[in-house]
Amino acid sequence: GNSVTQMEGPVTLSEEAFLTINCTYTATGYPSLFWYVQYPGEGLQLLLKATKADDKGSNKGFEATYRKETTSFHLEKGSVQVSDSAVYFCALSTGNNQGGKLIFGQGTELSVKP
Amino acid sequence: GAVVSQHPSRVICKSGTSVKIECRSLDFQATTMFWYRQFPKQSLMLMATSNEGSKATYEQGVEKDKFLINHASLTLSTLTVTSAHPEDSSFYICSAGGQGSGNTIYFGEGSWLTVV
């Protein structure tokens, strides 16, 4: 079946450090891949997405590249800020343009210290 | 961007009562909505897929008689937790996709349910 595996947290970094959160997936067909962020006490916000192989999603300094050969979608940011502290979820969707159900990884908590 | 709104954001109910949570797509037609629950420090688990005008599709292990889902219009889906028990206390969150959402699924703000 379809699944998503993320690196375990919590991840603790100092401000301006480089961030990588690994995400690998197993899926039939050609899934769309997403990163969602959940700030404390809030719902999920879409951070970025990629819909086909070699696509790079980017937003707010975060990037992730859809790597079909390694079935990965690692999240990176060159210089994290305290405000980036949140839980990050990698997810995949196998739906069509009408929207598909999301399968989430377990989430990775990021804590950025000043 | 597309907006999905959930209400209420927090609710406390007594054991044995029912509580309804609404999920609305504010600026697009949501042919499909999804309901998830999230236990503290855990990931989101899909409960059911709600299709406008038809019965919801429940994931394995989710009691359809306990978690009633109605998707009566293209902009509204409701989740009713019937005969709530303390173990139903959780964070419930909906998402929606459909025409106008650009192949992206948008989430509501979530609803904290506490059953006392």
Side-chain angles (χ1 to χ4, degrees):
Chain A
N2 300 328
S3 66
V4 176
T5 302
Q6 284 179 241
M7 66 185 285
E8 288 192 21
V11 173
T12 303
L13 295 174
S14 298
E15 207 165 21
E16 299 184 1
F18 185 87
L19 168 72
T20 300
I21 301 178
N22 289 338
C23 171
T24 57
Y25 68 90
T26 302
T28 54
Y30 302 95
S32 295
L33 301 174
F34 305 84
W35 277 100
Y36 282 85
V37 57
Q38 185 178 33
Y39 297 102
E42 299 183 14
L44 270 72
Q45 299 177 27
L46 177 65
L47 182 59
L48 54 85
K49 68 175 182 178
T51 58
K52 62 182 187 297
D54 300 325
D55 268 2
K56 178 185 283 188
S58 61
N59 186 26
K60 299 180 181 179
F62 291 89
E63 291 183 342
T65 301
Y66 189 144
R67 300 285 187 200
K68 189 170 174 59
E69 64 276 13
T70 55
T71 61
S72 64
F73 193 55
H74 304 321
L75 182 69
E76 296 181 336
K77 185 173 185 180
S79 176
V80 293
Q81 305 300 313
V82 173
S83 58
D84 293 327
S85 297
V87 180
Y88 292 81
F89 291 95
C90 185
L92 69 83
S93 167
T94 57
N96 57 24
N97 284 335
Q98 299 302 312
K101 64 182 183 183
L102 286 166
I103 296 170
F104 285 89
Q106 67 269 41
T108 302
E109 182 179 0
L110 171 65
S111 178
V112 181
K113 307 296 184 185
Chain B
V3 178
V4 174
S5 178
Q6 216 171 312
H7 178 80
S9 57
R10 292 183 181 275
V11 58
I12 300 173
C13 71
K14 292 184 178 180
S15 289
T17 63
S18 297
V19 61
K20 180 185 288 187
I21 300 170
E22 294 185 347
C23 179
R24 293 181 185 274
S25 58
L26 299 185
D27 54 2
F28 68 100
Q29 293 183 324
T31 48
T32 309
M33 289 184 170
F34 305 88
W35 287 95
Y36 296 82
R37 67 185 299 182
Q38 182 183 31
F39 292 105
K41 296 191 181 296
Q42 294 188 27
S43 191
L44 289 82
M45 299 299 293
L46 180 67
M47 298 175 66
T49 302
S50 169
N51 297 300
E52 187 269 335
S54 63
K55 289 184 178 180
T57 303
Y58 289 82
E59 297 298 303
Q60 194 171 12
V62 177
E63 299 176 59
K64 59 183 67 176
D65 293 331
K66 181 167 187 59
F67 298 100
L68 300 179
I69 291 172
N70 183 278
H71 194 156
S73 77
L74 285 170
T75 59
L76 174 65
S77 176
T78 59
L79 167 67
T80 302
V81 182
T82 62
S83 187
H85 290 136
E87 56 264 33
D88 297 327
S89 300
S90 185
F91 186 61
Y92 293 87
I93 190 164
C94 70
S95 67
Q99 273 187 313
S101 76
N103 198 34
T104 297
I105 299 163
Y106 293 93
F107 280 82
E109 310 94 325
S111 300
W112 287 101
L113 169 64
T114 302
V115 184
V116 297

